[in-house]
Amino acid sequence: PDEVLLVVQLVKKLLGRGVMGRGGAPLKPEQVGVITPYNRQVQRLRVRLAKANLSAVKVGSVETFQGQERRVIIISTVR
């Protein structure tokens, strides 16, 4: 399967399984980030996550996340 689809499925599972965020509250989409070194992969992931109503999940390069924190980071290295 396409890695973009696998990442979206993983995000859905994390959010749907009651994984806990800070303070024991359920994990929120804005607490999840996806890092990929490829601009095209960033675009594809953003489109797919938006279609899944998960546009609050931040997607970008390592530089995009500098100085920020996320409870969960997923790394995607396939184009």
Side-chain angles (χ1 to χ4, degrees), residues 9-43:
Q9 289 173 359
L10 180 57
V11 170
K12 286 180 177 180
K13 283 182 185 178
L14 287 168
L15 296 174
R17 289 197 175 162
V19 173
M20 296 302 176
R22 291 204 168 136
L27 192 65
K28 296 177 183 176
E30 48 275 351
Q31 294 175 303
V32 178
V34 182
I35 296 175
T36 181
Y38 305 110
N39 288 329
R40 183 69 178 132
Q41 187 78 342
V42 168
Q43 294 168 355

Side-chain angles (χ1 to χ4, degrees), residues 5-74:
L5 296 176
L6 292 174
V7 169
V8 173
Q9 289 173 359
L10 180 57
V11 170
K12 286 180 177 180
K13 283 182 185 178
L14 287 168
L15 296 174
R17 289 197 175 162
V19 173
M20 296 302 176
R22 291 204 168 136
L27 192 65
K28 296 177 183 176
E30 48 275 351
Q31 294 175 303
V32 178
V34 182
I35 296 175
T36 181
Y38 305 110
N39 288 329
R40 183 69 178 132
Q41 187 78 342
V42 168
Q43 294 168 355
R44 293 180 69 213
L45 282 161
R46 286 179 179 161
V47 167
R48 287 289 184 159
L49 287 165
K51 286 181 181 179
N53 293 319
L54 294 169
S55 57
V57 173
K58 184 159 187 157
V59 181
S61 66
V62 173
E63 291 83 15
T64 304
F65 284 90
Q66 274 188 311
Q68 299 181 32
E69 291 185 19
R70 294 288 183 278
R71 185 77 175 146
V72 175
I73 290 289
I74 298 167

